[in-house]
C-alpha cells in the first residue's frame, strides 16, 4: 500500500434542513484502502443515524471541529456562502469539493476567488459514460423523482391504484409527469408501481421510448405547427397542447430544468385553475423559479383547493439512500482526482475540467465564466 499523502476532511453538514452526509463509513474504508487519511466532523452521520463510532471503526479520525488549516481537501454539502469563515481558514492551494450550483449562483465564486481555493462543484459533472459513477445530478434526481410521488400520494385525497371492493370500484389516480429526464422517469416508474395511470411528456424525442419503457404513456404534441423556432411561441404552443392533459390529472409532477437557466414555464395559473379540487402539483424545478406559475420554492400553496408544492431538497427526506449515493459519487471523484494517491488537477481531463470552478483565485470554468460576466464583481476579478 502506498504511504498516506493526503487528508480528506468531511464537514458535518447536518441541520434542520439537511439530513444528508457526503461520506458514509464504507467509503471511508475505501479511501483509506487507497492510501488517504480521512477526518470527519463529529455528528456528520447523525441525520442518517450513523454515529461517530461507526466512522472510527471504518478508520476515520473523528473530531469536534476540523482543523481546517491541516486539510488538503475539504468536502461539504454546504454552499461557499454558508462556509465563509471555514473557507477563509483553508490554506492557499487547498481543495474544496462541494455541490453549489455555480451556473445558477455564480456569485458563490466570490469567496473561492478571494481565498484562492481550488474548488470543484460536482453538479457540473459531464453527462458522459466515464463520469456516471460521479453523477450526483442523476443520484439526487432518482431520489427526488421517487419522493415526489410519495409526497403527492400523501397529499392526494384518494389512492393511486384501481380498487374493486365490496364497497364499490375506486378508479386509479391519473399522474402526469412533465420532463422525463432522470427524475421524471423515476417518478413515472414509482407512480406506475403504486398503480396510477401515468402519462408523461418531454421535449426530447428520444424520451418517448424511455417513457414507454417505464410503463407510462408518452404524450405526443406537435411544436412544428408553430412554424417558428421562437422559444416563447413554442412554449405557448406547448402550454396550449398540454392544457387538457393537465386538467385531467390528479397529480402533476414537473421536472423540466435547464442547467444554469430559469426553469421553463410549462404550467400557467390558468392551467392549474382547470384542475379538479384536491389535485396535487409537485414542482421539482422550484429551485430556479419552477415550471408552474404558482410555485414558490419550499412552500405549500393552496390555489383554489389545488395543492402546489415546490420542494428544493427532497433528497434529504430520503437521507440514508441519498447519502449512500452521494458518498459513492464523492469517493469516485476524489479517487479520480488522486489516482496515484497524490492529487493532480489535470485540466486536460474532461471530468476534472468540467467540474473545476476556480483555481488560484480565478474562475477557470468556461460555463461559469459565461454566466459570471453579468456579475461585475466577478468579471473584474478575472
Ligand atoms: P434535467 O434535470 O436537466 O431536465 C429534466 C428533463 O426536462 C429533461 O429530460 C429535459 O429534456 C426536459 N425538459 C426541458 N425543457 C422542457 C420543456 N420545455 N418541456 C418538457 N420537458 C422539458 O435532465 P436530467 O435528468 O439531468 O438529464 C439531462 C440529460 O442528460 C438527458 O438527456 C439525460 O438522458 C442525459 N443523461 C445522461 C447521462 C449519461 O451519463 N450519459 C446520465 C444522466 C442523464
Amino acid at each position: 500500500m502506498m504511504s498516506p499523502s493526503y487528508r480528506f476532511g468531511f464537514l458535518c453538514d447536518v441541520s434542520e434542513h439537511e439530513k444528508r452526509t457526503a461520506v458514509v463509513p464504507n467509503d471511508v474504508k475505501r479511501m483509506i484502502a487507497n492510501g488517504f487519511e480521512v477526518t470527519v466532523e463529529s455528528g456528520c452521520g447523525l441525520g442518517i443515524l450513523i454515529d461517530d463510532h461507526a466512522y472510527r471503526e471504518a478508520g476515520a479520525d473523528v473530531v469536534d471541529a476540523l482543523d481546517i488549516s491541516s486539510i488538503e481537501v475539504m468536502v461539504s454539502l454546504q454552499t461557499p456562502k454558508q462556509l465563509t469563515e471555514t473557507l477563509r481558514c483553508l490554506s492557499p492551494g487547498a481543495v474544496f469539493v462541494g455541490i453549489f450550483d455555480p451556473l445558477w449562483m455564480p456569485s458563490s465564486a466570490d469567496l473561492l476567488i478571494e481565498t484562492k481555493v481550488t474548488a470543484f462543484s460536482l453538479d457540473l459533472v459531464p453527462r458522459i459514460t466515464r463520469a456516471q459513477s460521479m453523477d450526483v445530478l442523476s443520484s439526487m434526481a432518482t431520489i427526488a423523482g421517487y419522493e415526489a410521488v410519495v409526497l403527492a400520494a400523501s397529499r392526494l385525497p384518494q389512492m393511486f391504484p384501481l380498487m374493486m371492493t365490496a364497497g364499490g370500484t375506486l378508479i386509479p389516480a391519473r399522474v402526469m409527469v412533465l420532463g422525463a429526464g432522470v427524475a421524471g422517469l423515476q417518478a413515472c416508474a414509482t407512480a406506475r408501481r403504486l398503480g396510477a395511470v401515468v402519462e408523461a411528456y418531454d421535449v426530447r424525442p428520444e424520451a418517448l421510448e424511455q417513457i414507454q419503457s417505464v410503463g407510462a404513456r408518452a404524450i405526443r404534441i406537435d411544436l412544428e405547427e408553430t412554424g417558428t423556432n421562437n422559444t416563447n411561441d413554442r412554449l405557448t404552443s406547448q402550454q396550449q397542447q398540454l392544457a387538457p392533459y393537465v386538467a385531467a390529472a390528479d397529480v402533476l409532477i414537473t421536472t423540466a430544468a435547464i442547467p444554469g437557466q430559469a426553469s421553463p414555464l410549462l404550467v400557467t395559473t390558468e392551467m392549474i385553475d382547470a384542475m379538479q379540487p384536491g389535485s396535487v402539483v409537485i414542482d421539482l424545478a422550484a429551485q430556479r423559479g419552477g415550471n408552474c406559475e404558482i410555485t414558490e420554492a419550499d412552500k405549500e400553496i393552496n390555489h383554489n383547493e389545488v395543492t402546489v408544492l415546490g420542494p428544493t431538497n427532497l433528497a434529504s427526506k430520503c437521507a440514508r439512500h441519498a447519502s449512500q449515493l452521494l458518498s459513492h459519487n464523492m469517493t469516485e471523484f476524489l479517487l479520480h482526482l488522486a489516482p496515484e494517491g497524490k492529487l493532480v488537477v489535470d485540466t486536460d481531463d474532461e471530468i476534472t475540467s468540467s467540474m473545476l470552478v476556480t483555481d488560484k483565485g480565478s474562475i477557470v470554468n468556461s460555463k461559469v465564466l459565461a454566466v459570471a460576466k453579468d456579475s461585475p464583481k466577478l468579471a473584474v476579478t478575472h
Side-chain angles (χ1 to χ4, degrees):
M1 199 208 298
M2 61 192 98
S3 60
S5 50
Y6 274 87
R7 181 172 288 277
F8 296 147
F10 291 83
L11 292 182
C12 172
D13 296 315
V14 180
S15 70
E16 189 193 340
H17 303 291
E18 184 61 86
K19 303 288 171 247
R20 299 171 303 166
T21 174
V23 67
V24 298
N26 265 347
D27 290 314
V28 169
K29 284 187 199 156
R30 221 177 129 209
M31 284 182 260
I32 289 173
N34 276 275
F36 298 96
E37 293 181 353
V38 178
T39 305
V40 302
E41 267 187 356
S42 173
C44 74
L46 284 185
I48 54 170
L49 306 176
I50 295 182
D51 60 15
D52 290 348
H53 179 67
Y55 284 93
R56 274 196 201 97
E57 275 209 322
D61 289 331
V62 180
V63 296
D64 285 337
L66 274 188
D67 175 8
I68 301 298
S69 58
S70 75
I71 296 291
E72 279 100 2
V73 181
M74 182 179 86
V75 183
S76 172
L77 302 178
Q78 297 170 64
T79 62
K81 198 171 166 204
Q82 290 170 311
L83 293 171
T84 302
E85 292 316 314
T86 311
L87 284 168
R88 287 196 172 125
C89 294
L90 274 174
S91 15
V95 172
F96 167 54
V97 180
I99 306 172
F100 50 91
D101 202 359
L103 291 181
W104 183 241
M105 289 184 286
S107 62
S108 61
D110 282 351
L111 259 170
L112 304 170
I113 292 168
E114 177 198 319
T115 52
K116 298 192 166 34
V117 167
T118 299
F120 293 90
S121 192
L122 262 63
D123 44 15
L124 298 175
V125 61
R127 310 311 277 276
I128 56 173
T129 308
R130 206 160 57 85
Q132 273 178 349
S133 61
M134 308 163 206
D135 189 343
V136 292
L137 294 177
S138 292
S139 295
M140 296 306 102
T142 300
I143 292 181
Y146 168 87
E147 284 290 333
V149 173
V150 172
L151 180 59
S154 73
R155 291 291 201 281
L156 194 69
Q158 66 187 71
M159 292 188 285
F160 272 29
L162 170 76
M163 290 269 180
M164 296 169 93
T165 77
T169 299
L170 303 173
I171 59 165
R174 291 179 77 97
V175 174
M176 178 169 184
V177 176
L178 286 179
V182 180
L185 290 171
Q186 187 55 237
C188 289
T190 306
R192 280 294 301 133
R193 284 185 207 118
L194 280 178
V197 171
V198 185
E199 296 175 312
Y201 170 75
D202 195 291
V203 272
R204 291 181 297 116
E206 63 272 26
L208 272 177
E209 213 175 290
Q210 296 163 357
I211 291 167
Q212 285 159 351
S213 75
V214 292
R217 194 171 82 81
I219 296 171
R220 293 163 203 263
I221 62 173
D222 181 12
L223 295 181
E224 301 314 317
E225 53 104 44
T226 57
T228 166
N229 275 332
N230 181 294
T231 314
N232 286 338
D233 291 347
R234 289 173 81 89
L235 209 51
T236 306
S237 168
Q238 184 178 326
Q239 289 161 1
Q240 284 165 353
Q241 293 185 62
L242 289 175
Y245 297 97
V246 170
D250 299 303
V251 169
L252 172 65
I253 296 174
T254 64
T255 76
I258 302 173
Q261 291 182 30
S263 307
L265 178 64
L266 308 185
V267 183
T268 60
T269 303
E270 209 182 345
M271 289 161 82
I272 301 278
D273 283 340
M275 294 179 84
Q276 291 299 312
S279 303
V280 178
V281 179
I282 311 285
D283 190 342
L284 291 185
Q287 182 94 44
R288 304 193 199 117
N291 293 136
C292 303
E293 202 166 358
I294 286 169
T295 302
E296 285 184 45
D298 292 318
K299 294 243 168 84
E300 174 166 345
I301 293 167
N302 180 332
H303 178 84
N304 296 337
E305 303 305 334
V306 174
T307 303
V308 181
L309 293 135
T312 58
N313 190 5
L314 268 186
S316 175
K317 293 221 174 302
C318 184
R320 183 176 288 165
H321 274 166
S323 301
Q324 185 185 325
L325 295 178
L326 271 182
S327 172
H328 181 78
N329 297 148
M330 284 285 182
T331 306
E332 286 286 326
F333 178 65
L334 292 170
L335 297 181
H336 173 80
L337 269 189
E340 306 289 334
K342 190 165 159 27
L343 195 128
V344 186
V345 180
D346 175 8
T347 49
D348 289 333
D349 175 74
E350 186 181 357
I351 296 175
T352 303
S353 63
S354 298
M355 300 202 246
L356 180 62
V357 180
T358 58
D359 195 22
K360 301 184 186 72
S362 290
I363 300 178
V364 291
N365 186 292
S366 56
K367 287 186 184 163
V368 180
L369 263 180
V371 289
K373 69 180 186 309
D374 295 330
S375 166
K377 190 172 174 194
L378 292 175
V380 288
T381 320
H382 183 71

